[in-house]
Amino acid sequence: MNSIIKTESEIEKMRISGKLAAEVLEMIEKHIQPNINTEQINDICHNYITNKQHAKSACLGYKGFPKSICISVNDVVCHGIPNKNQILKEGDIVNVDITIVKNGYHGDVSKMFHVGKTSILSQRLCKVAQESLYKSLFIIKPKIRLNKIGEIIQKNVEKNNFSIVREYCGHGIGLNFHEEPHVLHYKNQENNIILKKGMIFTIEPMINAGNSQVKCLNDGWTVKTKDHSLSAQYEHTVLVTKYGCDILTWQKNEKICKSLVNK
């Protein structure tokens, strides 16, 4: 168990990586507009990460992934590959997923963006995805079991008549992009480890407007909803603290009170 407890030195490096990842999302927001293509968004982020932040993208080259960020539009659940032929249009919802490596340590975050005026369903779906993540943050503290996170997310998602993708989960993070433990986003008995101060992991629920079934396309990366329904995801990298948790990837425009998690 001690291998997933981070030292104070590691935590400080993770804070830096998390802050940088969050800053990329803050920077790119103004560019998420109709008529921009997703490769242009990727290039803007890549240049910012490398030239402004003097950091690296963890996604670029990871198991062969060809781009610096993931961009998932509408019915794409996750791991969308940016390309010049995918042009954003009014009404789209877009997930931008950023993972930064700085000083060897990773920070991982994603959020939804609305392109112009979006439908009421799109707005509800994104709101519930974000709320589900936030609700799980309030319960994190030492001595609770990890599977409580999935339980509270599932309860909120299904109460709103949406479904949870089960094939993908949150994960420990640090020197490696993906570490133990797995963080499932639904009620389960598998993740029954007890949280301890110093653990760092991602929570990243993916929820669908239709059913929960997904399919991976022939490119080996892009995951879509099987029924072509909309999908939304929010993600944060969090640190378990003495009395709660600290959101390492918190963004300045988030309405969640930062004091909640900085205990």
Side-chain angles (χ1 to χ4, degrees):
M1 181 62 68
N2 288 336
S3 63
I4 63 173
I5 306 294
K6 301 297 187 280
T7 65
E8 286 301 318
S9 173
E10 288 179 307
I11 288 168
E12 288 311 306
K13 290 174 181 174
M14 295 287 290
R15 287 188 188 282
I16 293 168
S17 298
K19 184 173 185 292
L20 292 175
E23 286 174 354
V24 179
L25 286 185
E26 293 168 353
M27 177 277 300
I28 201 61
E29 182 167 14
K30 66 179 178 289
H31 297 284
I32 309 293
Q33 301 287 345
N35 301 318
I36 191 170
N37 70 59
T38 55
E39 186 163 298
Q40 288 173 308
I41 296 169
N42 174 84
D43 292 348
I44 293 167
C45 290
H46 177 83
N47 290 335
Y48 185 83
I49 292 165
T50 55
N51 299 326
K52 176 79 172 178
Q53 298 183 328
H54 305 293
K56 292 181 180 179
S57 159
C59 295
L60 184 60
Y62 179 76
K63 296 185 177 180
F65 191 80
K67 298 294 181 178
S68 295
I69 65 174
C70 298
I71 304 179
S72 303
V73 182
N74 294 334
D75 64 338
V76 178
V77 177
C78 61
H79 305 157
I81 301 173
N83 73 86
K84 64 183 179 182
N85 295 320
Q86 184 173 46
I87 301 169
L88 298 186
K89 63 183 185 302
E90 182 91 9
D92 285 343
I93 57 172
V94 184
N95 178 273
V96 177
D97 193 342
I98 308 287
T99 308
I100 293 292
V101 186
K102 181 78 171 182
N103 301 318
Y105 286 83
H106 293 69
D108 192 1
V109 66
S110 84
K111 68 172 287 187
M112 300 300 297
F113 295 93
H114 297 263
V115 183
K117 183 175 175 57
T118 55
S119 69
I120 292 173
L121 175 61
S122 297
Q123 293 168 31
R124 270 197 66 234
L125 182 71
C126 294
K127 184 171 184 285
V128 171
Q130 187 177 50
E131 282 179 351
S132 299
L133 170 59
Y134 286 173
K135 282 177 181 289
S136 73
L137 300 177
F138 279 92
I139 67 163
I140 295 174
K141 62 182 178 180
K143 298 185 180 178
I144 74 154
R145 293 197 180 273
L146 182 63
N147 55 21
K148 288 291 182 186
I149 291 172
E151 185 176 338
I152 196 165
I153 290 172
Q154 180 177 6
K155 182 178 179 181
N156 191 62
V157 171
E158 293 181 349
K159 180 181 74 174
N160 286 279
N161 298 313
F162 296 131
S163 64
I164 304 166
V165 174
R166 298 190 175 217
E167 286 85 349
Y168 301 91
C169 63
H171 51 88
I173 187 169
L175 270 173
N176 300 301
F177 195 160
H178 297 94
E179 300 180 352
E180 293 294 327
H182 297 303
V183 183
L184 304 183
H185 302 121
Y186 54 90
K187 187 175 181 180
N188 66 89
Q189 297 305 315
E190 300 165 46
N191 289 41
N192 62 359
I193 67 169
I194 295 172
L195 296 186
K196 295 184 178 180
K197 181 176 178 285
M199 287 183 176
I200 298 180
F201 49 82
T202 71
I203 307 174
E204 45 186 298
M206 306 168 197
I207 76 171
N208 298 342
N211 67 50
S212 64
Q213 293 182 314
V214 300
K215 61 183 178 183
C216 186
L217 302 190
N218 291 335
D219 62 23
W221 287 103
T222 307
V223 177
K224 286 193 170 190
T225 57
K226 266 193 176 179
D227 61 5
H228 307 294
S229 63
L230 294 171
S231 188
Q233 178 193 20
Y234 282 81
E235 173 183 16
H236 271 309
T237 298
V238 299
L239 162 71
V240 181
T241 61
K242 186 175 180 180
Y243 298 110
C245 79
D246 198 351
I247 306 174
L248 302 184
T249 47
W250 181 82
Q251 295 129 60
K252 287 182 290 188
N253 59 355
E254 284 193 85
K255 290 187 172 63
I256 187 169
C257 180
K258 196 177 183 186
S259 63
L260 152 73
V261 291
N262 199 19
K263 298 176 181 178

